[in-house]
Amino acid sequence: MNKRKSKKQIFIKTCKGFLKNIPMMAGVVLLIGLLKTFVTFEAISNLFTGKPLADTALGALSGSILAGNSINSYIIGKEMLDSGISILAVTAFLVAWVTVGFVQIPAEAKMLGNRFTIMRNLLSVILSILVSITTVWIIGGIS
Amino acid sequence: MDKKNKKQKKKTGNIWIFPSLVIAIYVALFFVDQDKTLHALDYAANLFADIVPILFAVLFFMFLFNLVDDKKLKNLIDRSPKAVQYIAMLLLGTFSHGPVYAWYPLMREFREKGIGYGSIAIFLYARGIKLSLLPMLAVYFGFKYMLALTAAMIFFSFVQGILVDILMEKISKTH
């Protein structure tokens, strides 16, 4: 009986803790809605210059700012590739899209701490460039 | 007690700052472009509806995790090698579904129970490996590209975990 009561208490405590996170998540979701609607593919592709290194960094940055379903990143990435943007930049964009979340930083910082969040996101931006270089090197795109 | 209550109230108030700012942006944009703003709101509402099942799954995992005895878990974590923790978190991250922010509450529970920052970073990074979307990635960019990208992401998720652990330890030593 005691055990069952303690489980109930744990469940209530878990629910209370969980509900506290909902406003932050709602904020993130609302912000994603704004980005998805107001930032167009043309706006993204216009940023690229044709210089591989600068474009890779831009790919990582734009992927970090944008958020949403990964399917969207594949579609945008394919269009970027078809419009002549380098595979290095596209890969950095794809990786940053799924590993960095500038939009989610307020929620992440609230739940996991400022230092960890800033460090993790900064490292992820840098690593998205390294993942891109490694991937393209493996497939033989870098001689 | 009074101090504790004040601190708690301040914490609860902080939760609303970010969503309030986003709502203020919506209100401002509504006067600039009504159609687009309503479309953004509609998109956000659909997105939120999509993640509700994930949120229930996270709540369930949090409940299960809270049932685990803190001391026993701490002992288990302390006894198991870092590499095992890293691999476990990589697998958990790879198999988890839904948006990353839905998993933050569970990660906070992990952290509070003694799981290292590096392991949490690995979980969050490995979420970038979308198993269910690998066929689509292969169709869009080629099979070889899909394999290379997945292998690179697995490798660099460990790199990130190690770096986060080293840097967080350095920071905690200096403060």
Side-chain angles (χ1 to χ4, degrees):
Chain A
M1 189 67 186
N2 256 348
K3 208 176 181 183
R4 201 188 284 171
K5 198 179 174 188
S6 75
K7 270 186 189 170
K8 194 183 165 189
Q9 281 174 338
I10 290 170
F11 182 70
I12 292 169
K13 191 188 154 209
T14 309
C15 285
K16 277 184 181 170
F18 184 77
L19 285 174
K20 275 184 199 160
N21 302 312
I22 298 293
M24 292 299 279
M25 280 188 212
V28 170
V29 170
L30 283 168
L31 199 55
I32 291 171
L34 280 182
L35 280 175
K36 165 86 180 143
T37 313
F38 284 91
V39 183
T40 60
F41 167 70
E42 286 75 26
I44 301 165
S45 57
N46 281 342
L47 292 170
F48 294 89
T49 58
K51 294 169 189 159
L53 268 179
D55 280 0
T56 307
L58 269 173
L61 272 179
S62 50
S64 305
I65 294 162
L66 295 167
N69 197 312
S70 310
I71 296 169
N72 294 334
S73 73
Y74 297 166
I75 296 165
I76 296 172
K78 183 80 171 93
E79 284 196 49
M80 284 162 74
L81 204 58
D82 291 344
S83 64
I85 295 166
S86 76
I87 185 79
L88 270 170
V90 172
T91 308
F93 173 82
L94 294 178
V95 176
W97 182 293
V98 288
T99 58
V100 191
F102 284 178
V103 174
Q104 295 134 22
I105 279 179
E108 188 176 338
K110 187 85 202 150
M111 289 180 226
L112 296 167
N114 291 336
R115 277 183 208 149
F116 170 76
T117 302
I118 291 166
M119 183 192 301
R120 191 191 77 78
N121 280 284
L122 280 178
L123 274 175
S124 296
V125 175
I126 298 164
L127 290 182
S128 68
I129 296 169
L130 295 179
V131 170
S132 168
I133 293 168
T134 310
T135 305
V136 178
W137 173 72
I138 294 172
I139 62 170
I142 298 172
S143 50
Chain B
M1 191 68 184
D2 231 21
K3 256 188 181 177
K4 203 180 172 188
N5 275 347
K6 269 186 186 175
K7 210 176 175 185
Q8 191 63 37
K9 264 191 178 176
K10 199 182 168 191
K11 254 190 172 181
T12 316
N14 286 345
I15 296 169
W16 293 98
I17 293 174
F18 173 64
S20 304
L21 280 174
V22 180
I23 291 168
I25 297 171
Y26 265 86
V27 173
L29 285 172
F30 184 78
F31 293 108
V32 179
D33 193 330
Q34 197 174 327
D35 285 346
K36 267 192 169 180
T37 311
L38 288 176
H39 185 261
L41 195 63
D42 187 48
Y43 182 85
N46 285 328
L47 188 61
F48 204 80
D50 282 346
I51 66 164
V52 166
I54 311 282
L55 292 179
F56 276 111
V58 171
L59 179 65
F60 178 67
F61 284 128
M62 279 172 73
F63 170 62
L64 287 184
F65 200 67
N66 275 331
L67 287 176
V68 179
D69 186 80
D70 285 18
K71 279 183 184 169
K72 278 184 188 168
L73 185 74
K74 184 112 188 51
N75 278 341
L76 185 75
I77 293 166
D78 289 342
R79 272 189 284 123
S80 55
K82 266 269 163 73
V84 174
Q85 288 180 38
Y86 285 174
I87 292 167
M89 291 300 267
L90 176 95
L91 290 172
L92 275 177
T94 309
F95 287 104
S96 65
H97 280 278
V100 66
Y101 46 86
W103 294 91
Y104 292 153
L106 184 67
M107 289 303 106
R108 182 160 70 179
E109 293 286 336
F110 277 13
R111 182 64 207 134
E112 282 168 4
K113 301 257 180 180
I115 290 174
Y117 278 117
S119 300
I120 290 168
I122 289 179
F123 176 93
L124 296 174
Y125 201 88
R127 292 200 70 279
I129 304 160
K130 307 283 179 194
L131 288 182
S132 57
L133 296 180
L134 288 183
M136 191 179 171
L137 188 64
V139 169
Y140 270 58
F141 301 97
F143 186 73
K144 200 175 165 186
Y145 179 88
M146 180 268 284
L147 282 181
L149 182 63
T150 309
M153 285 194 71
I154 290 171
F155 175 74
F156 280 100
S157 63
F158 287 121
V159 172
Q160 196 188 43
I162 293 164
L163 287 175
V164 165
D165 267 340
I166 292 169
L167 292 170
M168 288 302 282
E169 209 180 311
K170 272 195 175 173
I171 289 172
S172 66
K173 271 182 187 168
T174 53
H175 283 83

